[in-house]
Amino acid sequence: MKYYLTTPIYYVNAAPHIGTAYSTFVADFVKRFKRMQGFDPVVFTTGSDEHGQNVERAAKAIGKTPEEYATAIATEFVRQWKELGIDYDHFIRTSDPKHHETVRDLFERCQKNGYIYKGSYTGQYCFHDELYVNDAKPGDPCPDCGRTTETVTEENYFFKLSAFQQPLLKLYEENPKFIQPETRKNEIVSFVRGGLNDLSITRTSIKWGIPAPVEGAHVFYVWFDALISYMSAVKDENLWPADLHLIGKDILRFHAIYWPAFLMAGGLPLPKRVFAHGWILFEENKMSKSRGNVVRPLPIAAVTGADALRYFLMREITFGQDGSFSYDALIGRYNADLANGLGNLASRTLSMVHQYRGGVIPDSGGSGDIAQLAEKTVETTVEAFDEFEFSRGLETIWGFISIIDKFIVERAPWKLAKDEACVALLDETLYTAAEALRITCALVYPAMPESAAKIWAQLGVVEPLDRVREAGLRWGQLTAGHKIGTVAPVFPRLDAKTSIEKMQRLEDEERERQAILLGKKPEAKTAPDATPAIGIEDFAKVDLRVGQVLSAERVKNSDKLLHLQVDIAEAKPRTIVAGIALAYEPEKLIGRKVVIVANLAPRKLKGITSQGMIVAASLEGGSPVLAGFLEDVPIGARLK
Ligand code: MSP
């Protein structure tokens, strides 16, 4: 039975970071796992989302055509995915003529079935996210990125999304696993219950897009274009419908509402499942290019290997929820789980087979107890992976590894080897450890394909790992007389300090390389070297206090300014005018603890006297991010 899965197709306004790599790693995992379960063929599509005004603008800014610009970035994605060991089958670019054809075809089907009409649209649009913001007023910020929306009026073609409220609700009800995880599904169901507005799906204001088969210079709106790439990638391959769309939670609405509605309108089969994972946070915020807080995968892979990064993301984060990345945690897990855990089991076991049995697997069925435990481990892990509970599956495998470690210590082969009466027991011990390692290796393969293949080769197994099916996970398949290979460490221990420094240095280099690729001047480093040093007495002059926002409202005639009342435990709250309106909704700030420069000389902004300043990280090209605290802190406390 076939299995067809997809990642989102990535915008060409940035090169991969570990947020975008996350969806891709997971898809690669699922491909390998589904193949192990016996699905055939298993086909995985990724790609690039190239159209729209942002690309048009970015290309123009550096004197390139949109095609040239998009090609440069799409090539970068392809190169990086290859370098990270991603085994995708199709890389679909929305500029591909085969995709254009599929988009036009679906439009015509929808039109024929009466779901397309011509209308006029005036509304607020976020050019950055390529998103119409329903119910927004001129000057309102985009709910996703905080940038000011722009008013646009156009005559364009509409899709009758409103006609699909009931069919969509029926779809969700009849296919309880169509949207996962469950919490996200509930959000979508209540959104759809609230009613759906028709959707404008063409533009005349944009040139860089797929021309619609209508009179006039209409091109398709990005989502009508982008979603259909999942079908165009496998055109004529008999793979549609997709079995799985893996996406981030930020784009669930498009996948769970628009996409099935488009397909229903065109009379085409619907995908089986949409799984929305959470965000990778870095320094407390969603890692994203516009925030400027991204960490790139290649510098990490150069130090720990790509597998360690994949393992970390899948083990550390419950799939479906948000989770944090930090260099410290990555190295911590690497040393504990990979160097000490799996790596140690492999080198210890294989070295003992060499040392005590000349590198030949002895004749034994292994320990009955461990054999049983192995079967149970396989069952639980496969069931967890099948439910997209990657972290639980990996935890189960590591539980097994630690039991095997204990088993080896308890049996103490180094003592058995000295006692002639213990030959059979030593055989059993070595067989048990080696067979447990073989099964472990096959189980971790979807998460760490490169490292698993290395251990596999050291075990001397000839059958490639990608051919192993579930039946190959049963106990007892290492045969007596089997010769193992040469042993070499797969996960050498890493020194935290030097490894982190190296990753950060490579990250700085990579950031600059990418800035050039994207035609931008390099982003400022987090700690600019150029700042002159000051003494502690200078720093002590700045009165930094913890404050709590009591009220917040927009300053009239200003996009950027908010008028805040902040309590810093003085007789009266301070009035503070802050340039953070593009990044923060005023009502969301109320009650938030912030850092205030309390002794800044008062100054007037738009007629309001600001009695201090609020402290925020200022990111080049990104929105400000307010300083805050992880622990609770009393209002008025001084920062020293
Ligand atoms: N082009 C659209 C998708 C069209 S699919 C038909 C798009 N592109 S994107 O490049 O902005 O992001 C795509 C996906 O990257 C997100 O949905 C998510 O899967 C992933 N991520 C981007 N940043 C992320 C994190 N910080 N954390 C986890 N995933 C993130 O949206």
Side-chain angles (χ1 to χ4, degrees):
M1 205 186 349
K2 66 95 191 170
Y3 194 92
Y4 175 46
L5 76 153
T6 64
T7 70
I9 53 165
Y10 300 104
Y11 286 135
V12 291
N13 62 352
H17 55 74
I18 63 172
T20 39
Y22 184 47
S23 304
T24 319
F25 283 148
V26 173
D28 186 74
F29 178 109
V30 174
K31 172 176 175 176
R32 294 171 200 269
F33 175 67
K34 288 290 158 191
R35 204 165 44 194
M36 182 188 283
Q37 286 189 307
F39 288 89
D40 186 23
V42 183
V43 177
F44 155 22
T45 282
T46 187
S48 50
D49 192 351
E50 303 186 0
H51 293 130
Q53 193 132 1
N54 277 329
V55 175
E56 231 170 34
R57 284 180 183 170
K60 199 167 166 205
I62 56 167
K64 282 191 177 174
T65 63
E67 289 90 335
E68 286 166 343
Y69 182 85
T71 299
I73 311 297
T75 310
E76 179 67 15
F77 269 93
V78 167
R79 186 182 74 80
Q80 290 208 24
W81 294 152
K82 294 253 183 251
E83 215 162 302
L84 291 165
I86 304 294
D87 185 21
Y88 64 78
D89 298 278
H90 296 291
F91 189 97
I92 183 74
R93 297 183 52 183
T94 51
S95 53
D96 185 332
K98 133 171 131 176
H99 171 64
H100 288 210
E101 213 179 290
T102 320
V103 173
R104 278 195 287 265
D105 179 60
L106 183 57
F107 176 78
E108 278 162 356
R109 280 167 170 271
C110 295
Q111 201 171 31
K112 200 174 88 218
N113 295 339
Y115 294 109
I116 303 288
Y117 64 93
K118 209 171 182 182
S120 165
Y121 183 92
T122 297
Q124 294 308 118
Y125 186 71
C126 171
F127 279 101
H128 178 262
D129 290 327
E130 293 176 328
L131 180 82
Y132 277 109
V133 184
N134 288 333
D135 307 324
K137 297 178 296 303
D140 276 359
C142 165
D144 281 0
C145 70
R147 289 173 170 79
T148 309
T149 54
E150 288 172 41
T151 308
V152 292
T153 300
E154 282 197 27
E155 180 176 75
N156 47 39
Y157 285 84
F158 279 72
F159 174 79
K160 262 195 212 165
L161 187 63
S162 54
F164 290 91
Q165 185 188 32
Q166 288 316 318
L168 283 168
L169 290 172
K170 188 159 168 265
L171 166 74
Y172 308 145
E173 200 176 311
E174 288 174 359
N175 302 276
K177 291 202 161 173
F178 177 71
I179 304 170
Q180 281 191 293
E182 191 71 18
T183 45
R184 302 254 163 262
K185 172 182 147 178
N186 299 339
E187 284 165 25
I188 294 290
V189 170
S190 51
F191 184 87
V192 174
R193 281 212 184 108
L196 295 171
N197 294 327
D198 290 348
L199 208 73
S200 117
I201 58 161
T202 67
R203 290 283 173 287
T204 48
S205 54
I206 303 173
K207 285 181 192 54
W208 176 232
I210 300 176
V214 293
E215 259 180 42
H218 291 262
V219 300
F220 285 108
Y221 161 60
V222 284
W223 282 99
F224 193 84
D225 167 349
L227 289 159
I228 298 169
S229 66
Y230 298 141
M231 277 176 73
S232 10
V234 292
K235 196 168 166 21
D236 306 324
E237 285 184 47
N238 220 0
L239 287 165
W240 192 257
D243 295 272
L244 174 67
H245 291 313
L246 277 169
I247 54 163
K249 64 180 183 182
D250 45 338
I251 53 174
L252 179 60
R253 210 177 355 133
F254 306 109
H255 284 76
I257 302 175
Y258 296 5
W259 185 218
F262 294 161
L263 290 165
M264 283 186 213
L268 292 169
L270 308 185
K272 304 268 169 53
R273 187 180 289 200
V274 176
F275 199 116
H277 62 70
W279 284 342
I280 295 186
L281 313 174
F282 185 57
E283 294 162 349
E284 298 299 302
N285 283 302
K286 180 191 178 201
M287 185 177 293
S288 78
K289 201 196 118 235
S290 47
R291 279 190 184 274
N293 64 341
V294 302
V295 174
R296 289 143 178 101
L298 290 182
I300 295 175
V303 176
T304 66
D307 278 4
L309 175 60
R310 291 167 71 120
Y311 170 75
F312 173 82
L313 295 174
M314 301 191 82
R315 172 68 185 85
E316 188 84 6
I317 302 170
T318 301
F319 196 61
Q321 293 175 14
D322 292 352
S324 293
F325 171 84
S326 82
Y327 288 110
D328 276 327
L330 170 71
I331 298 294
R333 265 212 186 275
Y334 175 95
N335 281 332
D337 297 2
L338 303 183
N340 288 354
L342 178 58
N344 188 39
L345 174 70
S347 59
R348 192 182 202 190
T349 301
L350 298 171
S351 305
M352 289 190 305
V353 175
H354 273 293
Q355 195 178 345
Y356 305 128
R357 292 293 179 260
V360 176
I361 297 292
D363 191 5
S364 164
S367 143
D369 285 353
I370 300 285
Q372 256 184 14
L373 185 71
E375 302 268 303
K376 183 85 198 112
T377 302
V378 169
E379 195 188 305
T380 314
T381 307
V382 168
E383 179 245 330
F385 287 170
D386 206 34
E387 294 292 325
F388 299 90
E389 294 180 32
F390 308 116
S391 183
R392 181 165 70 86
L394 293 169
E395 198 180 351
T396 308
I397 304 174
W398 260 259
F400 182 61
I401 293 177
S402 84
I403 288 175
I404 303 301
D405 266 340
K406 271 203 210 102
F407 168 83
I408 297 174
V409 171
E410 277 164 20
R411 288 278 179 106
W414 42 94
K415 285 191 193 148
L416 300 179
K418 289 185 192 144
D419 187 345
E420 299 249 314
C422 294
V423 172
L425 198 57
L426 179 58
D427 282 351
E428 187 187 87
T429 306
L430 295 177
Y431 185 89
T432 304
E435 178 61 353
L437 177 65
R438 186 191 68 84
I439 291 173
T440 302
C441 200
L443 279 178
V444 301
Y445 166 71
M448 293 192 286
E450 207 185 310
S451 317
K454 282 188 193 157
I455 301 176
W456 199 246
Q458 294 183 25
L459 262 165
V461 188
V462 183
E463 184 190 32
L465 262 171
D466 60 7
R467 300 254 176 84
V468 176
R469 301 289 169 260
E470 264 185 87
L473 299 172
R474 277 198 220 111
W475 187 264
Q477 298 184 38
L478 263 185
T479 44
H482 168 96
K483 189 128 185 47
I484 65 164
T486 318
V487 187
V490 177
F491 303 108
R493 238 193 118 70
L494 293 175
D495 173 68
K497 188 164 175 287
T498 49
S499 305
I500 293 174
E501 277 167 10
K502 185 163 179 204
M503 287 190 279
Q504 285 172 332
R505 184 167 45 75
L506 293 173
E507 169 65 25
D508 285 347
E509 285 169 20
E510 181 66 3
R511 184 194 302 124
E512 280 178 29
R513 191 186 67 79
Q514 287 183 8
I516 294 163
L517 178 80
L518 291 158
K520 299 189 179 130
K521 68 178 164 60
E523 291 163 33
K525 290 186 191 145
T526 19
D529 304 329
T531 316
I534 56 162
I536 186 80
E537 54 308 330
D538 283 333
F539 176 68
K541 288 183 197 152
V542 186
D543 185 8
L544 291 170
R545 299 287 183 92
V546 176
Q548 186 169 38
V549 179
L550 301 179
S551 68
E553 56 191 47
R554 293 180 187 285
V555 172
K556 267 198 203 106
N557 301 325
S558 166
D559 288 344
K560 293 207 179 116
L561 297 179
L562 288 187
H563 178 175
L564 310 170
Q565 292 295 327
V566 181
D567 179 5
I568 59 165
E570 293 177 332
K572 276 207 277 169
R574 295 276 185 117
T575 295
I576 290 182
V577 180
I580 55 171
L582 294 182
Y584 292 92
E585 296 280 344
E587 53 280 11
K588 293 211 177 122
L589 286 172
I590 295 167
R592 181 165 171 157
K593 297 251 173 87
V594 290
V595 178
I596 300 297
V597 183
N599 61 340
L600 197 72
R603 60 185 185 138
K604 245 185 181 172
L605 290 159
K606 293 262 174 198
I608 308 166
T609 305
S610 184
Q611 305 159 314
M613 192 185 96
I614 196 160
V615 178
S618 156
L619 311 169
E620 192 161 322
S623 328
V625 180
L626 287 178
F629 299 91
L630 290 178
E631 285 84 19
D632 200 22
V633 279
I635 297 165
R638 198 160 172 196
L639 280 82
K640 297 191 219 176

